[in-house]
Amino acid sequence: MYIFDNKITINNKAVLEEYLNGYEYETSGLSFSALYMWRDINEFCFEIIGDYMCISGISHLELDQKLNFMFPPLTKTGSYDRNKLRETILEAKKIFESKGAVFNLRLVPEHMTQLICDAVPEIEFSEDRPNFDYIYMREDLVELRGKKYHAKKNYINSFKKNYEYEYEPINSGMADELMEFIEFFNSRKEIPEHEMELLKNEEAAMRDVFENFEACGYYGGIIRIDGRVQALTAGGRLGSNMLTQHIEKANTDYRGLYPMICNEFCKALPEDIEFINREEDMGIENLRKAKLSYKPVKLLEKYIGNFKAK
C-alpha cells in the first residue's frame, strides 16, 4: 500500500535530491539511487509536509506481513526546527492512520534519534541490528594494507594468477548482457518460494536500473572472463563524500572474484568519494560475517521509532 501520493520517478529526482542531500544522513536507504532501485519492491512514495519531506515504504523483514513505515523526515536546509518537525510527524501519523496503517519510523540513524525525541517525546526507539549499515574507508578497500586484509589480498593475488580478466564501467547499452548474467546468477540459488518471489521482483528492478543507468546517476562495473560478464556491482552517491554499494554479484566458480570486483570498483570511483556504505546484513549470519571481514570503520546504528502505548 502506498501511503503518500508521489511515487519515485526520474522526473522527480531533482526535488528528492534537494532533501536527500540537505543533511548528512549516512543511512544507505536515503539516496536517490537506493529509492529508485527498490521503489516498486518497497512501494516507496513521498509527500512534502510542512518544512520536511516524508518518505514511506514497506518492510520485508517480517516474513508473515508487509509493514508500512516512514523514514525520518528530511530537511533541505541542513537543520531541523523542533516545533515544525513535531507538526510534520504528527500530520504524517494522521495520514498513516487514515490509510489503516500503524505509524512507525524505521531506518533512523542514531544521530537523529535524540532530535526526533526532543520534538516528539511520545516516540520511543529500539535498536534495529539487522539494518545497521557497514561503512568502510574507500582507501582501505583499494589498498588492502596490513594483516587485517591479508586474506582478501591473497584471494585477489590468486585470482590474478589464475585468470585473465577485464574490468569495465557499466553503461546502459549493456542492459541485456547484464540481465543475462543476473538471471544466470539467480537461477543457481535454492531458496524458499517467498524469497524467489522477491528475487524476481529484484530482476525487474535491475533491468530498469541498467536501462536508466546514466539518467539516475549510478556508478558500476563488471568483470569479464573470456569475454563474458562474470561479476557486477553498482551503487550511488550518498551525501557529500560517500557511495552506497547496492548490488554485488559474482560467479563463485571463480575463486577470489568477489574481492576482485569490490577492489576494482573502488579503484574506479571518483576521488572525492571517501567512504563506501555496503548496506545492511538483514540479520543473515553469512552476510554479516562477509561484511565484517572487510573491516568496517563504522557500523551505522539504525533504530525503529514507535509511539508509546497509552
Side-chain angles (χ1 to χ4, degrees), residues 72 79 83 113 133-134 196 203 254 265-266 302:
S79 63
N83 292 330
T113 55
D133 281 341
Y134 292 76
M196 183 57 72
E203 285 183 12
Y254 298 94
F265 177 59
C266 291
K302 287 186 267 186

Side-chain angles (χ1 to χ4, degrees), residues 203-217:
E203 285 183 12
M206 290 297 95
R207 174 167 288 282
D208 187 285
V209 163
F210 295 143
E211 289 176 348
N212 294 284
F213 210 75
E214 293 84 4
C216 291

